[in-house]
Amino acid sequence: MQTAIREISPPEAQARHAAGAKLIDVREQVEWDAGHVAGALFIPRGQLEQQIEAAVPDKATEIVLYCRSGARSGLGTQQLQQLGYTDVTNMAGGILAWEANSLPIEAPAALTPAQQSRYSRHLLIPEVGTAGQVKLLESKVLLVGAGGLGSPSALYLAAAGVGTLGIVDFDVVEASNLQRQVIHSTERLGAKKVDSARQSIEALNPDVKVVTYDEMLLADNVARLIDGYDVILDGTDTFETRYLLNDAAVAAGVPVIHASVFRFEGQLTTFVPYVGPCYRCLYPTPPPPELAPGCSVAGVLGVVPGIMGLLQANEVLKVLLGIGEPLVGRLLLFDALDGSFSELRLERDPKCPVCSDEARAARERGEFTPPPVFGADQPFALGGSFGGSLGGPAR
């Protein structure tokens, strides 16, 4: 026996939504993109049964459904009642009645027809959709290094439509790079890596603006280099530059996606200032050089930085879109020989000289004293390859 469908007017739906009720749009993607109620959840009716429990786990939550005219949302109301939701109502007349009552519609995000075609698979995902894709196109990501980690990251971030990619690298393409640095090619041997990377990115996606920095990352330019970027992707391979980049990013409040590799192993984490630990919390001091050789000394299986670089790109997209659970306070470890992933929990160091509450308060008072950067008596170098060393204790 079917339960009667309860209906409310658009003004009442607006009031209930403002009071905390979940307002759910059950139309299709193209209808949602044309305009929708601000703050509404988007779950097409055909996916309602599969997605509702993740979106609204508490079945006692007040829910208001709407569609174009009220018919599909009425069916959706019955569907949710059958699934055990106890407080579900249908907005009579749908979004047509909402507009007739002069209630506000959120302006649709704009994509060109060419962009709608290019990013069509993103637009089908509720967690991305048109609004998310526009957000990506408006985002700026700085890649420090166009090597083993930066190469796959740059290609996939460009393919995803991240609107501005900054690339910092002072090196040139060498034959030994091509075993893993897939953004470069044999015909570009001897070319600046930033120029080679820009050429590949522009060929892949003309939507992307590439800003190149053919220079070392130094104490006197790091603040300038990271200024204005939403996320930093760390593809460095020396501890000196990691500490330098970390300290500047914490001061600027910019998240850093860190990865490093060693032979058959890789590690990955996401540093969000004051939310989770920073790089100095993870490694208060660097290990002796003989315990953390770079890949130019120890070697690396070419696919490993590719895997870790793609995981870095995934973390960047999650942070930019505000979806999923970024690896904040979590260190992901990868072993290519047995194909396994494992995870360690990380905690903020309450005495960290950079990201502790005390350091933050001192920074806000203008009394912060930067801690020493290990190796500061030597030039900061990003190294010949950006695969990097794990830099931590053996697993």
Side-chain angles (χ1 to χ4, degrees):
M1 182 175 180
Q2 290 186 337
T3 305
I5 299 174
R6 292 186 295 140
E7 292 193 327
I8 58 176
S9 67
E12 188 175 358
Q14 182 187 43
R16 293 194 183 183
H17 180 43
K22 296 290 186 182
L23 186 63
I24 300 179
D25 187 323
V26 299
R27 298 175 299 160
E28 296 302 314
Q29 182 75 59
V30 66
E31 297 175 286
W32 168 270
D33 291 342
H36 51 268
V37 178
L41 298 176
F42 172 54
I43 308 178
R45 199 182 76 82
Q47 302 173 28
L48 195 58
E49 186 172 351
Q50 292 75 27
Q51 296 186 20
I52 188 61
E53 289 192 7
V56 188
D58 184 356
K59 293 188 175 181
T61 300
E62 182 180 6
I63 297 174
V64 179
L65 300 185
Y66 79 87
C67 63
R68 181 176 181 273
S69 62
R72 282 172 289 173
S73 52
L75 295 173
T77 299
Q78 291 182 328
Q79 190 176 6
L80 293 189
Q81 289 172 339
Q82 291 167 3
L83 291 173
Y85 286 86
T86 58
D87 192 0
V88 188
T89 55
N90 181 36
M91 189 174 80
I95 200 165
L96 293 178
W98 179 279
E99 290 182 290
N101 279 269
S102 300
L103 297 176
I105 297 290
E106 189 167 77
L111 291 176
T112 67
Q115 289 172 331
Q116 290 174 357
S117 176
R118 178 181 288 270
Y119 308 116
S120 61
R121 300 305 186 270
H122 275 180
L123 304 185
L124 295 171
I125 306 173
E127 292 84 354
V128 183
T130 300
Q133 189 60 56
V134 170
K135 189 172 185 179
L136 291 179
L137 288 164
E138 294 174 345
S139 296
K140 298 180 178 181
V141 175
L142 181 69
L143 296 98
V144 185
L149 295 168
S151 288
S153 298
L155 289 172
Y156 270 86
L157 292 175
V162 174
T164 299
L165 293 178
I167 303 176
V168 182
D169 202 311
F170 62 88
D171 213 346
V172 298
V173 179
E174 300 177 358
S176 62
N177 302 146
L178 302 181
Q179 162 251 18
R180 64 204 174 280
Q181 299 181 20
V182 295
I183 204 167
H184 310 300
S185 64
T186 302
E187 65 182 8
R188 298 181 201 155
L189 290 176
K192 290 288 187 178
K193 283 187 178 179
V194 290
D195 295 333
S196 173
R198 179 180 58 203
Q199 187 174 342
S200 295
I201 292 169
E202 290 177 346
L204 175 62
N205 190 351
D207 281 345
V208 179
K209 176 184 178 183
V210 182
V211 182
T212 60
Y213 304 94
D214 179 19
E215 55 188 299
M216 285 185 176
L217 190 77
L218 302 170
D220 61 2
N221 68 5
V222 61
R224 168 177 59 82
L225 291 174
I226 71 174
D227 183 47
Y229 286 94
D230 302 304
V231 180
I232 300 167
L233 190 142
D234 177 8
T236 64
D237 72 347
T238 70
F239 285 95
E240 293 88 350
T241 46
R242 290 172 186 161
Y243 288 122
L244 185 64
L245 182 61
N246 172 81
D247 297 356
V250 171
V254 183
V256 175
I257 314 300
H258 166 77
S260 52
V261 299
F262 177 75
R263 292 183 175 167
F264 301 101
E265 299 181 354
Q267 68 178 16
L268 172 75
T269 190
T270 293
F271 299 122
V272 178
Y274 309 117
V275 176
C278 75
Y279 189 75
R280 284 188 186 263
C281 297
L282 180 59
Y283 297 116
T285 59
E290 62 272 15
L291 296 183
C295 65
S296 61
V297 176
V300 62
L301 188 69
V303 72
V304 175
I307 292 168
M308 303 312 296
L310 292 181
L311 290 173
Q312 279 184 288
N314 183 60
E315 285 294 293
V316 169
L317 295 177
K318 286 159 57 181
V319 170
L320 291 176
L321 293 169
I323 61 176
E325 296 183 13
L327 291 167
V328 179
R330 300 153 57 200
L331 183 68
L332 186 68
L333 305 175
F334 171 65
D335 189 325
L337 289 180
D338 60 18
S340 67
F341 287 91
S342 55
E343 186 177 295
L344 299 176
R345 287 286 175 177
L346 307 175
E347 299 291 340
R348 284 178 67 190
D349 180 356
K351 296 183 179 180
C352 176
V354 172
C355 78
S356 66
D357 292 340
E358 182 179 351
R360 184 178 189 178
R363 187 177 284 110
E364 291 174 350
R365 294 194 305 268
E367 301 172 358
F368 178 73
T369 301
V373 175
F374 299 100
D377 56 337
Q378 301 173 358
F380 295 110
L382 297 178
S385 94
F386 284 71
S389 58
L390 279 178
R395 289 178 53 197

